[in-house]
Amino acid sequence: MEAHPFATAPADSPALESLPVEPLLTSEFDADPGAVYARLRRTYGPVAPVGLMGVPVWLVLDYREVLEVLRNESVWRRDVRCWRARAQGQLPRDWPLLAGYEVRQTMFMDGDEHLAARHTHHAAMRPFQDGRTPQGWELRATVAGYADELVGMLAAETGTAGFADLGAQYTRPLLLMVTTKLFGCPVELGDELVMDLWRMLDGGPDAGPATGRALAAMTRLAAHRRARPGDDLTSYMLLADPELSDEQLGRELFMNAVYLNDITGNMVLNTLLEVLRGNATVRRSLSAGQLGETVNRAALVNPPVANMCFRFAARDVALGNFWIRGGDIVSPSAAAAHGDLMAIGASHLVGSAVSTRAHLGWGAGPHQCPSAARELGGMIVSTAVGRIFDHLTKAELTLPADQLPWRSGPVVRGLRVLPVRYELRGDGVGWGVGAGRGRRGGAGDVRDVRDVRDVGDVVPGADREVKGLLGALRRLMFGGK
């Protein structure tokens, strides 16, 4: 695609502000966003003008164009100060999505400033990235232990069979516990933090106050760890960049909390859903022990971030069938791009382990999640999915898949609840509450380290003992081999 580096928009090309735009967030979008993306593509092509809470936005729909926006930092900027409508005071008063973008942190930086901030993140996360380091080994054992503990709590309440919401009773508390551990929080984080992150991402009327509360909590944590450093991500960020103020560090922790709790949580729930609803390719990967591939396939169907962070055109540029003017706002849609990718000739693109890595769940280009963060996030998702299915011998949705309630907002499309009827392994091995707590201090055992690693290319018949629903899936998919 030509970037036209020295061109300007022709005088007769329509400006975004002059186009009659339809609102994106409608009841139709809530019910079936894929149908809305497809209709916009038929009407406008790869890029469509839409209204987002009263503000006109270019929505990028096709995979090729989305990758162009994500990869070309010289043309597509992340700094909100590049947005012409904001600079000229043209936004509605208290536009709810602006609250999160006004938080100046790594995600919304460009150029050398962005590279320096990413270096700090990578240096701080490096000790936790490698499962062979004490910090990495302990974190992996801890995630598995927390998952076991939450299953143990279900067993304590209902015995070996019952009903549960795998969002409220498993995924959300698991990620809060992991955040508490990784960030070095002096007390357990409460569910209200997750609710505030939802309010900020969903652009509700209280998005501003919710953002302020979450930022204040993270700033207090930064001050606490500056005074009492420990073996945690917060302390390592201070070690990597001692010049960080409490406010700056609080903003970075805020960003990481968003990704660790909301985005990673969506990836866990979306993967669980694809298994439970009977997605054959996802189930086949899971039964083969390929947890990373299981997550990749689920992310292609339903990415954890539907519409990715805004970009702002640095200059006039042609994209799709339109000219985007310098300072225009652009929203690259991962969900629409995935639909486009899977429709292009289709199965040969998404039928192999290599091609499924084309999903945009972790972003792409200079602003994609740092490699250490991607590995940590992937480990957490794979562990959460693998551990729950190790313990379950049976699980089925208690609502039809097309009747599940979703948060369908301008950024994410995430499950509100994931209600299931389940049966647990009767031996109780590994899901006692006491066993989970025993691993918090990093003692762990050999079984934990083996189970929490992403086994990647393991094939049916591997020597890893598979129990519970994983074993049943293997028998179903591969005839008991």
Side-chain angles (χ1 to χ4, degrees):
M1 182 172 0
E2 292 296 327
H4 303 285
F6 303 107
T8 57
D12 60 349
S13 63
L16 177 60
E17 297 81 3
S18 70
L19 292 169
V21 297
E22 60 177 273
L24 179 66
L25 304 180
T26 62
S27 58
E28 180 190 6
F29 185 81
D30 287 343
D32 189 356
V36 174
Y37 295 138
R39 178 171 53 77
L40 290 170
R41 184 180 290 112
R42 289 194 301 270
T43 303
Y44 298 103
V47 180
V50 300
L52 200 55
M53 297 179 171
V55 172
V57 171
W58 294 111
L59 184 67
V60 189
L61 301 164
D62 282 9
Y63 191 80
R64 186 182 68 167
E65 282 74 13
V66 167
L67 278 185
E68 161 66 16
V69 171
L70 298 181
R71 289 175 171 172
N72 194 339
E73 186 183 32
S74 66
V75 176
W76 307 104
R77 313 296 282 173
R78 286 288 287 268
D79 193 329
V80 72
R81 294 174 298 184
C82 298
W83 187 8
R84 187 180 64 256
R86 173 185 175 274
Q88 295 177 354
Q90 298 173 352
L91 299 180
R93 185 186 299 271
D94 298 327
W95 192 59
L97 292 182
L98 189 59
Y101 281 85
E102 296 286 6
V103 180
R104 186 154 184 78
Q105 35 83 3
T106 300
M107 285 177 59
F108 304 143
M109 298 174 182
D110 292 310
D112 291 342
E113 183 184 26
H114 172 245
L115 289 176
R118 282 178 69 92
H119 176 77
T120 297
H121 274 86
H122 189 77
M125 290 180 180
R126 189 180 298 126
F128 304 97
Q129 178 184 9
D130 188 346
R132 294 167 295 184
T133 66
Q135 297 89 346
W137 185 93
E138 181 182 356
L139 180 63
R140 284 154 175 76
T142 298
V143 175
Y146 287 164
D148 292 345
E149 181 173 330
L150 290 166
V151 175
M153 292 175 68
L154 293 178
E157 292 176 3
T158 66
T160 58
F163 298 85
D165 171 9
L166 293 184
Q169 293 174 268
Y170 182 71
T171 301
R172 199 158 65 229
L174 173 61
L175 292 173
L176 278 170
M177 293 160 76
V178 172
T179 303
T180 298
K181 170 71 174 179
L182 182 61
F183 283 23
C185 298
V187 296
E188 294 283 341
L189 295 174
D191 202 52
E192 190 61 25
L193 173 66
V194 175
M195 295 298 102
D196 277 339
L197 299 180
W198 283 17
R199 294 176 185 116
M200 186 271 293
L201 288 170
D202 294 350
D206 54 353
T211 302
R213 287 191 297 268
L215 273 174
M218 295 297 105
T219 301
R220 289 194 298 271
L221 173 59
H224 173 81
R225 278 300 161 209
R226 187 184 301 277
R228 301 174 183 83
D231 204 16
D232 51 71
L233 178 64
T234 309
S235 300
Y236 285 143
M237 287 192 71
L238 285 168
L239 187 63
D241 185 0
E243 299 301 316
L244 282 172
S245 68
D246 291 343
E247 291 74 18
Q248 289 172 315
L249 180 53
R251 291 194 291 268
E252 300 300 333
L253 293 173
F254 167 81
M255 177 196 70
N256 282 287
V258 169
Y259 269 85
L260 186 54
N261 286 273
D262 199 63
I263 310 307
T264 306
N266 284 344
M267 194 171 278
V268 172
L269 285 172
N270 292 351
T271 305
L272 296 177
L273 173 60
E274 291 307 311
V275 174
L276 294 171
R277 76 195 304 177
N279 184 313
T281 59
V282 173
R283 289 166 70 97
R284 186 175 294 110
S285 297
L286 180 64
S287 69
Q290 297 173 323
L291 290 172
E293 178 64 5
T294 302
V295 174
N296 287 343
R297 289 184 179 275
L300 264 176
V301 176
N302 197 357
V305 179
N307 298 315
M308 306 169 79
C309 287
F310 298 139
R311 264 65 170 183
F312 310 98
R315 51 176 170 75
D316 292 1
V317 59
L319 190 69
N321 298 327
F322 294 94
W323 275 86
I324 314 300
R325 284 170 168 75
D328 277 0
I329 181 174
V330 168
S331 175
S333 175
H338 285 188
D340 176 51
L341 176 65
M342 290 188 286
I344 302 173
S347 58
H348 75 281
L349 285 174
V350 297
S352 70
V354 174
S355 62
T356 56
R357 296 172 191 165
H359 77 76
L360 302 173
W362 305 117
H367 281 87
Q368 70 177 334
C369 293
S371 59
R374 294 198 303 274
E375 291 194 23
L376 285 177
M379 179 274 293
I380 292 168
V381 176
S382 297
T383 302
V385 171
R387 294 303 279 195
I388 190 70
F389 285 133
D390 271 341
H391 294 306
L392 297 173
T393 59
K394 181 179 180 180
E396 58 185 11
L397 295 171
T398 59
L399 284 176
D402 60 359
Q403 294 181 22
L404 291 170
W406 292 84
R407 293 165 52 217
S408 188
V411 179
V412 300
R413 178 172 167 83
L415 284 167
R416 293 185 181 276
V417 298
L418 184 58
V420 298
R421 178 187 295 108
Y422 66 88
E423 294 179 8
L424 291 169
R425 285 168 46 199
D427 56 14
V429 173
W431 47 258
V433 174
R437 287 178 177 162
R439 282 188 291 273
R440 288 191 181 186
D445 58 36
V446 174
R447 184 194 67 218
D448 289 329
V449 176
R450 178 198 67 193
D451 285 350
V452 300
R453 286 177 178 164
D454 181 358
V455 291
D457 294 328
V458 174
V459 296
D463 60 2
R464 176 178 182 264
E465 182 182 4
V466 179
K467 302 176 181 178
L469 192 56
L470 279 178
L473 280 171
R474 177 165 295 176
R475 290 190 295 273
L476 174 66
M477 295 291 183
F478 298 100
K481 293 181 181 179

Coordinates of all heavy atoms in Angstrom, one line a residue, residues 41-82:
R41 N -18.0 -2.8 5.6 CA -17.0 -3.2 4.6 C -17.7 -3.2 3.2 O -17.1 -2.7 2.2 CB -16.4 -4.5 4.9 CG -15.3 -5.0 3.9 CD -14.7 -6.3 4.3 NE -14.0 -6.3 5.5 CZ -14.3 -6.9 6.6 NH1 -15.5 -7.6 6.7 NH2 -13.6 -6.8 7.7
R42 N -18.9 -3.7 3.1 CA -19.6 -3.7 1.8 C -19.9 -2.3 1.3 O -19.9 -2.0 0.1 CB -20.9 -4.5 1.9 CG -20.7 -6.0 2.1 CD -22.0 -6.8 1.8 NE -23.1 -6.4 2.8 CZ -23.3 -6.9 3.9 NH1 -22.5 -8.0 4.3 NH2 -24.3 -6.5 4.7
T43 N -20.2 -1.4 2.3 CA -20.6 -0.1 1.9 C -19.4 0.8 1.6 O -19.5 1.6 0.6 CB -21.4 0.6 3.1 OG1 -22.5 -0.3 3.4 CG2 -21.9 2.0 2.8
Y44 N -18.4 0.7 2.4 CA -17.3 1.7 2.3 C -15.9 1.1 1.8 O -15.0 1.8 1.5 CB -17.0 2.3 3.6 CG -18.2 3.2 4.1 CD1 -19.0 2.7 5.1 CD2 -18.4 4.4 3.6 CE1 -20.1 3.4 5.6 CE2 -19.5 5.2 4.1 CZ -20.3 4.7 5.1 OH -21.4 5.4 5.5
G45 N -15.8 -0.2 2.0 CA -14.5 -0.8 1.7 C -13.7 -1.1 3.0 O -14.3 -1.2 4.0
P46 N -12.3 -1.1 2.9 CA -11.5 -1.4 4.0 C -11.6 -0.4 5.2 O -11.1 -0.8 6.3 CB -10.1 -1.5 3.4 CG -10.3 -1.6 2.0 CD -11.5 -0.9 1.7
V47 N -12.0 0.8 4.9 CA -12.0 1.8 6.0 C -13.4 2.5 5.9 O -13.9 2.8 4.8 CB -10.9 2.9 5.7 CG1 -11.0 4.0 6.8 CG2 -9.6 2.2 5.7
A48 N -14.0 2.7 7.1 CA -15.4 3.3 7.1 C -15.4 4.4 8.1 O -14.9 4.3 9.2 CB -16.4 2.2 7.5
P49 N -16.2 5.5 7.8 CA -16.4 6.5 8.8 C -17.6 6.1 9.7 O -18.6 5.7 9.2 CB -16.8 7.7 7.9 CG -17.4 7.1 6.7 CD -16.8 5.8 6.5
V50 N -17.4 6.2 11.0 CA -18.4 5.9 11.9 C -18.5 6.9 13.0 O -17.5 7.7 13.2 CB -18.2 4.5 12.6 CG1 -18.2 3.4 11.5 CG2 -16.9 4.5 13.4
G51 N -19.6 6.9 13.8 CA -19.7 7.8 14.9 C -19.4 7.0 16.2 O -20.0 5.9 16.4
L52 N -18.6 7.5 17.0 CA -18.2 6.8 18.3 C -18.6 7.8 19.4 O -17.8 8.7 19.7 CB -16.7 6.5 18.3 CG -16.3 5.4 19.3 CD1 -17.1 4.1 19.0 CD2 -14.8 5.1 19.1
M53 N -19.7 7.6 20.0 CA -20.2 8.4 21.2 C -20.2 9.9 20.8 O -19.7 10.7 21.5 CB -19.3 8.1 22.4 CG -19.4 6.7 22.9 SD -18.4 6.4 24.4 CE -19.0 4.8 24.9
G54 N -20.6 10.1 19.6 CA -20.8 11.5 19.1 C -19.6 12.1 18.4 O -19.6 13.3 18.1
V55 N -18.5 11.3 18.2 CA -17.3 11.8 17.6 C -17.0 11.0 16.3 O -17.0 9.7 16.4 CB -16.1 11.7 18.5 CG1 -14.8 12.0 17.8 CG2 -16.2 12.6 19.7
P56 N -16.8 11.6 15.2 CA -16.5 10.9 13.9 C -15.1 10.2 14.0 O -14.1 10.9 14.4 CB -16.6 11.9 12.8 CG -16.3 13.2 13.5 CD -16.9 13.1 14.9
V57 N -15.0 9.0 13.6 CA -13.8 8.2 13.7 C -13.7 7.4 12.4 O -14.7 6.9 11.9 CB -13.8 7.3 14.9 CG1 -12.6 6.3 14.9 CG2 -13.8 8.1 16.2
W58 N -12.5 7.2 11.9 CA -12.2 6.3 10.8 C -12.0 4.9 11.4 O -11.1 4.7 12.2 CB -11.0 6.6 10.0 CG -11.0 7.9 9.2 CD1 -10.3 9.0 9.5 CD2 -11.8 8.1 8.0 NE1 -10.6 10.0 8.5 CE2 -11.5 9.5 7.6 CE3 -12.7 7.4 7.3 CZ2 -12.1 10.1 6.5 CZ3 -13.2 8.0 6.1 CH2 -12.9 9.3 5.8
L59 N -12.9 3.9 11.1 CA -12.8 2.5 11.5 C -12.1 1.7 10.5 O -12.6 1.6 9.3 CB -14.1 2.0 11.9 CG -14.2 0.6 12.5 CD1 -13.6 0.6 13.9 CD2 -15.6 0.1 12.6
V60 N -11.0 1.1 10.8 CA -10.2 0.3 9.8 C -10.6 -1.2 9.9 O -10.5 -1.8 11.0 CB -8.7 0.5 10.0 CG1 -7.9 -0.2 8.9 CG2 -8.3 1.9 10.1
L61 N -11.1 -1.8 8.8 CA -11.7 -3.1 8.9 C -10.9 -4.2 8.3 O -11.1 -5.4 8.8 CB -13.1 -3.0 8.1 CG -14.1 -1.9 8.6 CD1 -15.1 -1.6 7.5 CD2 -14.7 -2.3 9.9
D62 N -10.1 -4.0 7.3 CA -9.4 -5.1 6.7 C -8.0 -5.4 7.3 O -7.4 -4.4 7.7 CB -9.3 -4.8 5.2 CG -10.7 -5.1 4.5 OD1 -11.7 -5.3 5.2 OD2 -10.7 -5.1 3.2
Y63 N -7.7 -6.6 7.2 CA -6.4 -7.1 7.9 C -5.2 -6.3 7.3 O -4.4 -5.8 8.1 CB -6.2 -8.6 7.7 CG -5.2 -9.2 8.5 CD1 -5.4 -9.5 9.9 CD2 -3.9 -9.5 8.0 CE1 -4.4 -10.1 10.6 CE2 -2.9 -10.0 8.7 CZ -3.1 -10.3 10.1 OH -2.1 -10.9 10.8
R64 N -5.1 -6.2 6.0 CA -3.9 -5.5 5.4 C -3.8 -4.1 5.9 O -2.8 -3.6 6.3 CB -4.0 -5.6 3.9 CG -2.7 -5.0 3.2 CD -2.9 -5.1 1.7 NE -3.8 -4.1 1.2 CZ -4.0 -3.8 0.0 NH1 -3.2 -4.3 -0.9 NH2 -4.9 -2.9 -0.4
E65 N -5.0 -3.4 5.9 CA -4.9 -2.0 6.3 C -4.7 -1.8 7.8 O -4.0 -0.9 8.2 CB -6.3 -1.3 5.9 CG -6.4 -0.9 4.4 CD -6.6 -2.1 3.5 OE1 -6.9 -3.2 4.0 OE2 -6.5 -2.0 2.3
V66 N -5.3 -2.7 8.6 CA -5.0 -2.7 10.0 C -3.5 -2.8 10.3 O -2.9 -2.1 11.1 CB -5.8 -3.7 10.8 CG1 -5.3 -3.9 12.2 CG2 -7.3 -3.3 10.8
L67 N -2.9 -3.8 9.6 CA -1.4 -4.0 9.8 C -0.6 -2.8 9.4 O 0.3 -2.4 10.1 CB -0.9 -5.2 9.0 CG -1.1 -6.6 9.7 CD1 -0.5 -7.7 8.8 CD2 -0.6 -6.6 11.1
E68 N -1.1 -2.1 8.3 CA -0.4 -0.9 7.9 C -0.4 0.2 9.0 O 0.6 0.8 9.3 CB -1.0 -0.4 6.6 CG -0.7 1.1 6.3 CD 0.7 1.4 5.9 OE1 1.5 0.4 5.7 OE2 1.1 2.5 6.0
V69 N -1.6 0.3 9.6 CA -1.7 1.3 10.6 C -0.9 1.0 11.9 O -0.3 1.8 12.5 CB -3.2 1.5 11.0 CG1 -3.4 2.4 12.3 CG2 -4.0 2.1 9.9
L70 N -0.9 -0.3 12.2 CA -0.2 -0.8 13.4 C 1.3 -0.7 13.2 O 2.1 -0.4 14.2 CB -0.6 -2.2 13.8 CG -2.1 -2.4 14.2 CD1 -2.3 -3.9 14.5 CD2 -2.5 -1.5 15.3
R71 N 1.8 -0.9 12.0 CA 3.2 -1.1 11.8 C 3.9 0.2 11.5 O 5.1 0.4 11.7 CB 3.5 -2.1 10.7 CG 3.2 -3.5 11.2 CD 3.3 -4.5 10.0 NE 3.3 -5.9 10.5 CZ 3.2 -6.9 9.6 NH1 3.2 -6.7 8.3 NH2 3.1 -8.2 10.1
N72 N 3.2 1.2 10.9 CA 3.9 2.4 10.3 C 3.8 3.5 11.3 O 2.9 4.4 11.2 CB 3.3 2.8 9.0 CG 4.1 3.8 8.2 OD1 4.9 4.5 8.8 ND2 3.9 3.9 6.9
E73 N 4.7 3.5 12.3 CA 4.6 4.6 13.3 C 4.9 6.0 12.8 O 4.5 6.9 13.4 CB 5.6 4.2 14.4 CG 5.6 5.1 15.7 CD 6.6 4.7 16.7 OE1 7.7 4.3 16.3 OE2 6.4 4.9 17.9
S74 N 5.6 6.1 11.7 CA 5.9 7.4 11.2 C 4.7 8.1 10.7 O 4.7 9.4 10.7 CB 7.0 7.3 10.1 OG 6.5 6.6 9.0
V75 N 3.7 7.4 10.3 CA 2.5 7.9 9.7 C 1.4 7.9 10.8 O 0.6 8.9 10.9 CB 2.0 7.2 8.5 CG1 0.7 7.7 8.0 CG2 3.1 7.3 7.4
W76 N 1.3 6.8 11.5 CA 0.2 6.6 12.5 C 0.7 6.8 13.9 O 1.4 5.9 14.4 CB -0.5 5.3 12.2 CG -0.9 5.1 10.8 CD1 -0.3 4.3 9.9 CD2 -2.0 5.7 10.2 NE1 -0.9 4.4 8.7 CE2 -2.0 5.3 8.8 CE3 -3.0 6.6 10.6 CZ2 -3.0 5.7 7.9 CZ3 -3.9 7.0 9.7 CH2 -3.9 6.6 8.3
R77 N 0.4 7.9 14.6 CA 0.9 8.2 15.9 C 0.0 7.7 17.0 O -1.2 7.7 16.8 CB 1.2 9.7 16.0 CG 1.9 10.3 14.8 CD 3.3 9.7 14.6 NE 4.2 10.3 15.6 CZ 5.5 9.9 15.7 NH1 6.0 8.9 15.0 NH2 6.3 10.5 16.6
R78 N 0.6 7.5 18.2 CA -0.2 7.1 19.3 C -0.5 8.2 20.3 O -1.4 8.1 21.2 CB 0.5 5.9 20.1 CG 0.4 4.6 19.4 CD -1.0 4.0 19.4 NE -1.3 3.5 20.7 CZ -1.1 2.2 21.1 NH1 -0.5 1.3 20.3 NH2 -1.4 1.8 22.3
D79 N 0.3 9.3 20.2 CA 0.2 10.4 21.2 C -1.1 11.1 20.9 O -1.3 11.7 19.8 CB 1.4 11.3 21.0 CG 1.6 12.3 22.1 OD1 0.6 12.7 22.7 OD2 2.7 12.6 22.4
V80 N -1.9 11.2 21.9 CA -3.2 11.9 21.8 C -3.1 13.4 21.4 O -4.0 14.0 20.9 CB -4.1 11.7 23.1 CG1 -3.5 12.5 24.2 CG2 -5.5 12.0 22.8
R81 N -1.9 13.9 21.7 CA -1.7 15.3 21.4 C -1.7 15.6 19.9 O -1.7 16.7 19.4 CB -0.4 15.8 22.0 CG -0.5 15.9 23.5 CD 0.8 16.2 24.2 NE 1.9 15.3 23.9 CZ 3.1 15.3 24.4 NH1 3.4 16.3 25.2 NH2 4.0 14.4 24.1
C82 N -1.6 14.5 19.1 CA -1.6 14.6 17.6 C -3.0 14.7 17.1 O -3.2 14.8 15.8 CB -0.9 13.4 17.0 SG 0.9 13.3 17.4

